[in-house]
Amino acid sequence: MSGQKNVHLKICRQNAPDQPVFWEEFAVDYSPKMNIISCLMEIQKNPVNAQGKKTNPVVWECNCLEEVCGACTMNINGQARQACSALVDYLEQPIVLEPLRKFPILRDLMVDRTIMFENLKRVHAWIDIDGTYDLGPGPRMAEVDRVWAYELSKCMTCGCCMESCPQVNSRSRFIGPAAVSQARLFNTHPSGAMHKHIRLSALMGDGGITDCGNAQNCVRACPKEIPLTTSLADMNREVNKFALKRWLNT
């Protein structure tokens, strides 16, 4: 790969959500250790396709460039992953770039991941505060719980789990593994537990935990190796316990 002078990219493009899809190929100069973002930046500087024809720069999204924000997630050679950590040296060419298919397309490789943040709102994935004044030290969390809860906190809402989940589709309202796992994270937190009933009620509703088909694709797709299937199983158990208690108390 090191002796190769060009990087060959085949990019799925779409000028607007209501415009037709088309493919365009590019050849950019190879540099050692370059990633997909580097390739897209080269195209942005000189938007000329492989046929030597002037074209519009490819539209994509990025922010942190260190696999923390999840903004640059796209399908690379058929796999949902971050463009910033996808090194050209380890990719088969031509490198095929496509947008995520489970989210509304905006343009080219840029999609709208709003639904993921709306799902976090549905499960109350935050801890409320009483005010801006000093409340003193919060409750301590057992170290054994903190260790595994920290793994859940690594979620960057990138959409890889949603992209790989067969239950996330136009016929289902399933909120996806990320939101379920975040509900588990905040239910575990000593301060977040006060709103545990809100999160469990949300997961009982339409698109909640019962819509999970247990395909287990999500845990393999997660770039942060978050134990998503463990979270799904745990929340399924918690929701059933909550539903039973609520039924017995009626």
Side-chain angles (χ1 to χ4, degrees):
M1 183 71 192
S2 58
Q4 197 164 329
K5 294 184 178 179
N6 289 326
V7 180
H8 183 194
L9 299 107
K10 185 177 180 181
I11 303 178
C12 181
R13 307 199 62 182
Q14 192 170 353
N15 290 328
D18 58 347
Q19 295 296 307
V21 174
F22 64 97
W23 290 86
E24 195 162 27
E25 298 188 31
F26 297 87
V28 301
D29 292 337
Y30 170 80
S31 297
K33 311 299 182 183
M34 72 188 308
N35 58 12
I36 294 301
I37 295 295
S38 301
C39 295
L40 292 171
M41 286 180 171
E42 289 299 315
I43 296 172
Q44 188 177 52
K45 288 190 297 183
N46 184 31
V48 176
N49 63 25
Q51 289 71 43
K53 183 179 178 181
K54 193 78 173 179
T55 186
N56 293 322
V58 178
V59 175
W60 83 98
E61 189 176 16
C62 69
N63 190 10
C64 71
L65 299 180
E66 53 185 0
E67 202 180 65
V68 173
C69 71
C72 67
T73 305
M74 61 184 69
N75 280 307
I76 302 174
N77 285 352
Q79 179 184 354
R81 57 184 302 188
Q82 286 68 57
C84 62
S85 57
L87 301 180
V88 168
D89 289 333
Y90 300 100
L91 295 171
E92 183 179 344
Q93 296 196 33
I95 302 172
V96 180
L97 304 182
E98 301 173 83
L100 297 176
R101 299 300 184 184
K102 299 296 180 73
F103 302 89
I105 185 75
L106 294 177
R107 184 171 178 180
D108 292 340
L109 303 173
M110 186 177 181
V111 298
D112 183 359
R113 291 180 297 136
T114 298
I115 186 62
M116 294 196 72
F117 302 101
E118 292 300 321
N119 288 338
L120 290 177
K121 293 179 185 178
R122 284 182 60 186
V123 298
H124 202 85
W126 63 85
I127 295 175
D128 294 285
I129 60 172
D130 294 330
T132 56
Y133 50 88
D134 185 10
L135 299 176
R140 295 292 299 271
M141 191 173 188
E143 180 64 13
V144 66
D145 292 326
R146 186 206 62 79
V147 170
W148 65 259
Y150 177 71
E151 297 303 312
L152 305 187
S153 72
K154 293 179 180 179
C155 178
M156 54 185 175
T157 325
C158 66
C160 286
C161 63
M162 301 277 282
E163 183 74 3
S164 67
C165 179
Q167 297 302 114
V168 176
N169 55 63
S170 60
R171 302 175 303 280
S172 170
R173 292 191 62 195
F174 182 42
I175 63 175
V180 176
S181 188
Q182 290 302 291
R184 181 190 182 206
L185 170 64
F186 287 100
N187 279 0
T188 302
H189 193 280
S191 296
M194 70 177 75
H195 292 115
K196 184 176 181 178
H197 63 287
I198 296 177
R199 301 186 187 97
L200 294 178
S201 294
L203 291 178
M204 284 178 61
D206 188 22
I209 192 67
T210 57
D211 281 14
C212 173
N214 199 32
Q216 302 189 26
N217 292 353
C218 55
V219 73
R220 292 188 289 269
C222 180
K224 295 301 183 181
E225 299 182 343
I226 297 171
L228 294 171
T229 49
T230 302
S231 289
L232 290 165
D234 180 81
M235 295 310 292
N236 186 47
R237 180 175 59 252
E238 290 299 311
V239 165
N240 278 286
K241 286 165 56 179
F242 177 72
L244 182 59
K245 286 181 181 178
R246 195 162 73 168
W247 178 72
L248 291 174
N249 289 331
T250 54

